[in-house]
Amino acid sequence: MADSKFDTPQLREYPIIPKLKKGVMSHSKPFIAKEPHQEPLGFPGELVDDWENVAIKKMADLQGKYRSLQVYLDSCVKCGACTDKCHYYVGTTDPKNMPVARQDLYRKVYRRYFTFAGKYFPKLVGATDLTKEVLDDWYSYFHQCSQCRRCSVYCPYGIDTAEISMAAREVMDTIGVGQKYCNEIISKVHKIGNNLGLPGPALEDTLEGLEEDVEDETGVAVKYPLDVKGAEVLLVTPSADFFAEPHVDGLIGYGKVFHEAGISWTVSSHASEAANFGMFIGSYDNMRKLAVRIREAALELGVKRIVFGECGHAWRVAYSFLNTLAGPWDFLDPKYPVPQHICEVTYNLIQENKLRFDKSLNDDMVLTYHDSCNVARASRMGDSAGGQFLIPREIIKATCNNFYDMSSDTIKEGTFCCGGGGGLLTDDLMELRVKGALPRMEALRRVVEEKGVTHMAAICAICKSQFSKVFPYYDFTMDQIVSVHQLVSNAIILTGQNDENDEENHPQEDIDEAA
Amino acid sequence: MLSFSIAALFYIAFFILAYGLVVKILQYKNTPAPLKIPTMPAPTTQAGVVFRMSKEVVFFESLFKSSKITWLFGWLFHFGLFLDMLRHLRYFIDPVWFWVVIIQPFGKYGSILMLVGLAGLLARRIVVDRVRYISAPSDHLILVLLLCITTTGMAMSFYLGADVISVKSFFVGLLTFNIQNIPADLVLISHLVMVAFLMIIFPYSKLLHAPGLFFSPSRNQVDNAREKRHLAKWAQELEKTN
Ligand code: SF4
Ligand code: SF4
């Protein structure tokens, strides 16, 4: 299906709510996981006999474990307020991509088996048996939800379709219908420690390569350490940071920040992955096992702090769940929140005047900022609500002269997902990814035209990969997506660097005034 | 006979409503929320959560953000309903509290708000293709039921009048298990039967959104995951096994 022909949606001047077209995305399905990707996660390798009963039993189990699921299944009034809020609906116009319709795929089965009305008056309340067709719809449309939570912001009861998608995926895994992309990746982390299956020696090579590059460029011996016992900080970052563009430029930036602030740090080869795909498949158990690796690494290396690199869903699991999954963290330095985001670290250092920048080094760019969905709506940075919006922007403004936000209904808690989150960043879902990016592309196009924006910064590995891939479909170029810490890396002045003498010619004050 | 049937109907309806709601509320309360999932940005204190919830309950804040039209009709209906329910207190309380007397005329106009709200919501359900797509027959019928309750009530208070004294003695009698005569008035009886039916379906339908809102983890959780470890019972069990 990767090569199926599809049309890239037209960017519209005035985004109006599209008319629905039934079934236009029913063909979109990710590859099914085979046994080797299912078994390590504790799931059967193929559709089990008696799958209907197994599925219904799993649904009952989940309803008893998750209040969110139980309350959301009962509480929807079909007001329709969420119907136009999902980027996949806007981009595909398939009605089953309206958040409430997606939930209803699950809810109609819930009603049939678990509610009085659905048992005795199924037609009246739209309840149906769990049939093969329903299961096919589940597989298709619960893999068209990036668990971005935009619908939850706008629902009068906060109903979060992400919770339903996670439950549906877990039910499907339990009966042997898993998604290859996610489950293959999770099994790699269980075995090797990161999503890409990069073993320790490969990481070491990469990090050494970075040290050489940075030293060549700046003349400063910035370290990118691996498995160093007794380091102050354990950096847990998405594995894409080790090699993909523009991710790696972000990693270079983190290293420069730590170096300049005199904070010793290390990456761990045991927990060399920030992203936790256990969340995407709704599996508490898998999510927990992946998170525990971080605890083990922190204990093993004897660090005092844990810092996460730029990654959206990873930051959700880190900020909101890590304490639950792998805490308590009483063996770490209580002066710092556990975990911290690299942006919090950098921002605090900027506030304390510990970093110096030459903003003009980013003058070749006019920037905007994409709030990653799971940072914006599922986590926080800093001490007060909304810090997740403020802090990355302040870092950009401290390192760049030209910054403009996109229109207000497409940023902060109203931000649109990049189109590739929630375990959908796979080539077999390319059509969905391109179409789902539409609302973000429209907002970006507007600031490009009105403000002359040339680049969009992000702090999520998925967003960065997704945009580099889908930009060309919308006549942008791959390199127009940048890491926030890439901007930091460009502008930071390292003590003792090659051209530091030149810096006398434009002292900090001038630079600031130019802003 | 009629009085007796209506009385029995209301006892049964009340029992089903109360029992159904208690069962549901206990279910929500006893089902753990194993992870912190407030929709951010979220309040960082319990007081902040109370404030956030109050804005949702009183002003429908999230709905206001998402759809002004739905908000307008939805809010008009609920506000009208609220006024009208207060107004109806006079049928149960003797002597009638002072403030219930004061709001009587407002309660009367509350029904107009309800009518406008319900008509708007029904129209939206039929006209807007997205909302039509997600509607089951029950979604339309609940609106129709509410419309019928509203219009029969309005017919009595604006045109036909009703024997309020008898109605009151009937309901006060119900409260003290002393069944009085109910006037054999077709409009009144249909109004009452429909209200009883609404009470019966309440705990078995989407009307559960009323208690549901208070239990929604995305709205009622405090954003303090890093400061305070949040652990469900069943998740604690997992820690023992490995
Ligand atoms: S906004 Fe909430 S209550 Fe309304 S239809 Fe969507 S999920 Fe249901
Ligand atoms: S969570 Fe995001 S992707 Fe999923 S239904 Fe809601 S808006 Fe759409």
Short mmCIF file of all heavy atoms in Angstrom, two decimals, chain A residues 17 194 384 416 451:
data_model
loop_
_atom_site.label_atom_id
_atom_site.label_comp_id
_atom_site.label_asym_id
_atom_site.label_seq_id
_atom_site.Cartn_x
_atom_site.Cartn_y
_atom_site.Cartn_z
N ILE A 17 -14.91 23.77 7.08
CA ILE A 17 -15.07 22.37 7.45
C ILE A 17 -15.50 21.58 6.21
O ILE A 17 -16.49 21.93 5.58
CB ILE A 17 -16.13 22.23 8.56
CG1 ILE A 17 -15.76 23.14 9.74
CG2 ILE A 17 -16.25 20.78 8.99
CD1 ILE A 17 -16.85 23.26 10.76
N ASN A 194 16.91 0.43 22.20
CA ASN A 194 16.38 1.58 21.49
C ASN A 194 15.57 1.15 20.28
O ASN A 194 15.64 0.01 19.82
CB ASN A 194 17.48 2.56 21.09
CG ASN A 194 18.55 1.90 20.25
OD1 ASN A 194 18.27 1.32 19.21
ND2 ASN A 194 19.79 1.96 20.71
N SER A 384 4.90 26.38 35.96
CA SER A 384 3.50 26.76 35.93
C SER A 384 2.84 26.29 34.64
O SER A 384 3.51 26.04 33.64
CB SER A 384 3.36 28.27 36.09
OG SER A 384 4.17 28.91 35.15
N PHE A 416 -2.08 21.52 15.84
CA PHE A 416 -2.40 20.35 15.04
C PHE A 416 -1.22 19.39 15.06
O PHE A 416 -0.06 19.81 14.95
CB PHE A 416 -2.68 20.76 13.59
CG PHE A 416 -4.07 21.26 13.39
CD1 PHE A 416 -4.31 22.62 13.22
CD2 PHE A 416 -5.14 20.39 13.35
CE1 PHE A 416 -5.61 23.09 13.04
CE2 PHE A 416 -6.43 20.85 13.16
CZ PHE A 416 -6.67 22.21 13.00
N LYS A 451 4.70 36.39 6.66
CA LYS A 451 5.82 36.85 7.47
C LYS A 451 7.17 36.47 6.88
O LYS A 451 8.21 36.76 7.47
CB LYS A 451 5.75 36.26 8.89
CG LYS A 451 4.43 36.49 9.59
CD LYS A 451 4.32 37.92 10.06
CE LYS A 451 3.01 38.08 10.84
NZ LYS A 451 2.73 39.49 11.13
#
